[in-house]
Amino acid sequence: MHPQFAQLGSSRGSVGALGGFELFESSPTTPTTPTDNATEVADGAVGLVGTRNDADTGFGGRVSQARQLVDLAERTLESAVTYEVERGSSWAHIAAYLEISAEEAEQRYTPAVQAWNRAFEEPYRLDETGRKRIPQLPTAAYDPTWACTQLDRWAYLRHVGIDDRQAVSASLVMAEAADEQVPGAQTWSARSC
């Protein structure tokens, strides 16, 4: 286990990773949590609401925005499937919600699950120069307290929890050790929130 994760008293299933807010450079192949993408989807959707700057937008601009939103939603779905696999959902359960066969779901999303698992084996990779470390885990895996605070602020400012300043973190506790969990409380997991 990576020393930083051991410091959190966690293993792959309960690393303190909660969401986006990139502190580090990440690559398109960096596994993310549903929260990483959900905040981006919500913010992207808001961008399609306003019309004040339509005159300044080139032809097809709204289509470009909508396509980016679909791409973000697809990444959110991929991370949600990974989350469900990691928490023990069967491919049949996942496939039922995707309205595809279990075999198709497994074939389509296994690479994402494998990438997630590889990230825990090698939390960093070197960039093409060999001098800069690029994290392979969501930013919150490296600083879960900060990430949870940011997500609570994001939710509060967008009225997700309706005047709840801890809409994201209220039911989360930091796990003392990978095998010690507080009964009835959700641990800070790699895809919680």
Side-chain angles (χ1 to χ4, degrees):
M1 181 186 307
H2 191 274
Q4 205 157 6
F5 301 133
Q7 178 183 352
L8 293 172
S10 310
S11 67
R12 184 171 23 159
S14 59
V15 170
L18 297 175
F21 309 103
E22 293 300 321
L23 286 174
F24 306 105
E25 177 183 332
S26 64
S27 70
T29 59
T30 301
T32 58
T33 67
T35 315
D36 286 325
N37 298 320
T39 57
E40 292 179 34
V41 169
D43 289 341
V46 168
L48 285 169
V49 174
T51 60
R52 181 178 305 277
N53 296 317
D54 279 358
D56 300 327
T57 303
F59 293 119
R62 289 297 180 147
V63 173
S64 173
Q65 284 179 289
R67 180 69 235 170
Q68 289 174 1
L69 191 58
V70 168
D71 291 343
L72 285 170
E74 287 172 356
R75 287 198 328 240
T76 304
L77 177 59
E78 188 175 88
S79 60
V81 168
T82 301
Y83 169 80
E84 288 299 330
V85 168
E86 288 288 311
R87 74 183 276 240
S89 294
S90 70
W91 286 111
H93 284 116
I94 293 166
Y97 288 101
L98 296 172
E99 299 177 348
I100 60 177
S101 72
E103 294 77 23
E104 186 179 352
E106 186 172 7
Q107 182 179 12
R108 186 181 302 177
Y109 294 103
T110 292
V113 174
Q114 290 172 340
W116 176 258
N117 290 325
R118 270 192 313 275
F120 283 95
E121 294 165 12
E122 292 183 44
Y124 295 95
R125 71 171 175 79
L126 293 177
D127 70 356
E128 54 279 349
T129 67
R131 294 182 294 205
K132 184 177 179 183
R133 290 186 337 159
I134 299 176
Q136 299 302 291
L137 292 168
T139 301
Y142 306 98
D143 192 350
T145 303
W146 179 84
C148 204
T149 300
Q150 295 303 310
L151 288 168
D152 278 334
R153 276 192 202 129
W154 183 92
Y156 180 74
L157 292 173
R158 285 155 184 85
H159 304 290
V160 171
I162 309 298
D163 295 330
D164 183 352
R165 291 189 180 268
Q166 292 183 315
V168 176
S169 65
S171 65
L172 300 176
V173 295
M174 182 66 86
E176 292 296 322
D179 55 351
E180 295 178 14
Q181 294 186 6
V182 178
Q186 184 177 1
T187 59
W188 287 39
S189 79
R191 288 174 248 18
S192 291
C193 295

